[in-house]
Structure formats: C-alpha cells, structure tokens
Amino acid sequence: MGAASNELSNKQINRSARFLADLRIRLLAGETTFAKMSAEERRQIIECVGILENWRGRHAGPLRNANANLRHYVRPFAAIDQDVVSVTQRLKKFSTILDKLGRYPRMQLTRMEDIGGVRAILPTQHAADDVSRRLRKNWKVSRYRDYVREPKVSGYRALHLIVIKQGVKVEVQLRTFLQDFWANQVERDSRYLRIDYKSGKGAEPVHAYYVSMSELFAMREASIEPSQDFNSELLSRYRLAQPYLGSVVDGGVP
C-alpha cells in the first residue's frame, strides 16, 4: 500500500486515518509512547501519515476553486459594504482531522465534509440568503443546512452548503457579521480558557449565556427590540457565566 498512490481505495484511506486517530488517543492518554514502538509500527505510522496527507492535499485545488468562484457571488455586496464583506478559506489541519475522528469514532475520513472550507461574511441575512440561493441554483450542492432558521442547540447560526468541486466535498459557510462575531467569540473563549466550548464542553451556564447572546444578535439583525423579560434573563445568564469566563465576558459583547 503506497502512500503516494492515487489509486488508494476509500477503505485503505479510512483504515489509515482511523489507525492514526486511535494512536493519538492512546498517546494523549499516556498508554503508549513512540519510544516503545517497534520499527514496524513506526513504518506503519509513516505510511499512514503519508496516506492521510495525500487525501488532505487533494482538497487544496478544489478549495481554491471554490474560494475564487464564491468571490464572484459576493462581489455585488462588497461594493455596498466592503468593510464587512470577506471571503476566506482554510484547509483543516492534520491534527484537527485526527481530533475530529477521535471525537466521532464511527466517522470515516472519506465522508468528512469539511476538510476544505470556505467562508463568506455578508452584511445582512438577506445578502446571505441571496448568495445561498444562487449557489444552490448554479453549483453542485450535496447538502444544505439552514442554521439561521433552525439554530444549533449551542446557538450557532449560519448557512452551510456542502458542494462538490473537482470530485471532493468543500464546505461553504455564509455568515452575517454578528453571526461570525458570535462564533469567533466562542472559539476565542475556548482557546483562552483551554475548554472546548465550541464542541459543547464546559459549564452549562456558559452555554446558556452563549445561546442568549446568539438570540440577541439575531434580534439586532432583524431590528427587533428585546423585551424586558429577555433582557432580565440575559443579565441573569451573564452573571451565572461570569465566574467561569471571568474577564473574557467583559470584552465579549460589541
């Protein structure tokens, strides 16, 4: 089984990725070390790393293509508000791929839909909806998720499309400025406090606060004035979350 081969079966790719994900778990748990491994085990690791990197690398070209094409669709809105509108891309890191496989033991690498991801930030929800409609009309879309009308339990809001580019899947995220701010704040809190709030870990009062902030941002974008009851609940959740988030909370609301 050659790492550089372009004829590897999905079974070989998935088996190699699962081997590395399970090994990573064992290493982090202190159940084994590289020093304890035989020469054959080390050879297997090198081969599996090559296979995974080969599969990951196959997404680079399609990702650039999706990025360039998406810029065409958001250009009219950039002309209106160029300070807000942006298009970025990212190829999922090797370690992040293994971490996700570790969190989802039944997941197969070749079915992972977000190895390549491109994101557009748009000035309004109307603009995001318009871009989404045109992408679904003109691109090959295998999956569409509306997390705006049906937010995730965490409070996350955005439009997600899984598109097919040059034979591989690329995730397209369409967010408004406030939706992006909310998601980035959760990630910043996770990094700063070293608790993976993004994946649902950590104290429940923090997640309740995130949900309320997401609802507040949605109201702002819809020009809806929050009720007094909502404001009281938000303040209560803020106070309950503050012992866990500390000073992070104080700088988290625009």
Side-chain angles (χ1 to χ4, degrees):
M1 182 170 60
S5 172
N6 292 322
E7 303 300 327
L8 289 171
S9 69
N10 285 352
K11 183 177 180 180
Q12 290 172 308
I13 295 169
N14 291 327
R15 187 170 60 237
S16 296
R18 178 53 56 191
F19 169 79
L20 292 175
D22 291 344
L23 174 62
R24 182 175 184 271
I25 291 173
R26 292 170 56 210
L27 287 168
L28 291 175
E31 296 175 4
T32 188
T33 65
F34 286 112
K36 295 179 181 178
M37 296 178 189
S38 66
E40 175 58 26
E41 288 174 321
R42 295 179 188 181
R43 184 202 62 77
Q44 184 179 4
I45 292 171
I46 293 172
E47 183 176 29
C48 289
V49 167
I51 291 172
L52 195 154
E53 283 286 24
N54 180 267
W55 177 252
R56 176 176 174 272
R58 282 181 56 185
H59 292 72
L63 178 59
R64 289 191 296 269
N65 179 264
N67 183 318
N69 290 168
L70 184 58
R71 289 178 183 276
H72 167 75
Y73 287 94
V74 307
R75 189 171 294 121
F77 301 103
I80 298 172
D81 194 342
Q82 62 180 0
D83 291 332
V84 170
V85 176
S86 65
V87 177
T88 57
Q89 69 178 52
R90 67 102 184 93
L91 189 63
K92 193 180 286 292
K93 295 179 181 178
F94 187 98
S95 60
T96 307
I97 291 174
L98 294 184
D99 178 67
K100 186 169 185 176
L101 290 172
R103 286 186 284 113
Y104 301 100
R106 298 179 66 86
M107 177 177 285
Q108 296 181 329
L109 178 62
T110 56
R111 298 181 65 85
M112 191 179 290
E113 298 177 325
D114 61 345
I115 293 177
V118 60
R119 177 183 300 153
I121 310 304
L122 292 145
T124 65
Q125 189 58 53
H126 173 75
D129 290 338
D130 182 76
V131 172
S132 170
R133 176 184 58 79
R134 290 190 289 148
L135 291 182
R136 284 180 284 156
K137 179 181 178 181
N138 299 313
W139 287 16
K140 184 177 181 181
V141 178
S142 67
R143 190 187 300 270
Y144 171 67
R145 298 184 179 96
D146 187 341
Y147 293 126
V148 176
R149 281 79 189 179
E150 296 184 16
K152 289 187 177 183
V153 175
S154 65
Y156 177 84
R157 298 170 193 256
L159 301 177
H160 284 202
L161 300 90
I162 305 301
V163 304
I164 307 299
K165 289 289 184 180
Q166 301 172 17
V168 300
K169 295 177 180 178
V170 176
E171 182 184 62
V172 178
Q173 297 179 358
L174 305 175
R175 299 177 180 174
T176 64
F177 173 79
L178 286 180
Q179 289 165 359
D180 188 59
F181 179 93
W182 181 94
N184 288 334
Q185 185 63 50
V186 174
E187 290 191 5
R188 283 194 293 269
D189 292 349
S190 296
R191 289 195 302 269
Y192 183 81
L193 299 171
R194 298 183 179 181
I195 299 173
D196 193 1
Y197 288 112
K198 180 181 176 182
S199 299
K201 298 179 181 179
E204 179 56 33
V206 174
H207 292 288
Y209 172 69
Y210 287 150
V211 170
S212 288
M213 286 306 307
S214 175
E215 292 173 356
L216 176 63
F217 288 167
M219 291 179 194
R220 286 186 181 181
E221 291 184 328
S223 299
I224 296 173
E225 188 68 25
S227 68
Q228 186 59 46
D229 287 344
F230 177 86
N231 287 333
S232 296
E233 179 67 15
L234 175 60
L235 180 59
S236 175
R237 291 187 175 188
Y238 166 84
R239 288 170 174 166
L240 290 172
Q242 194 170 26
Y244 300 97
L245 293 177
S247 60
V248 175
V249 168
D250 298 327
V253 181

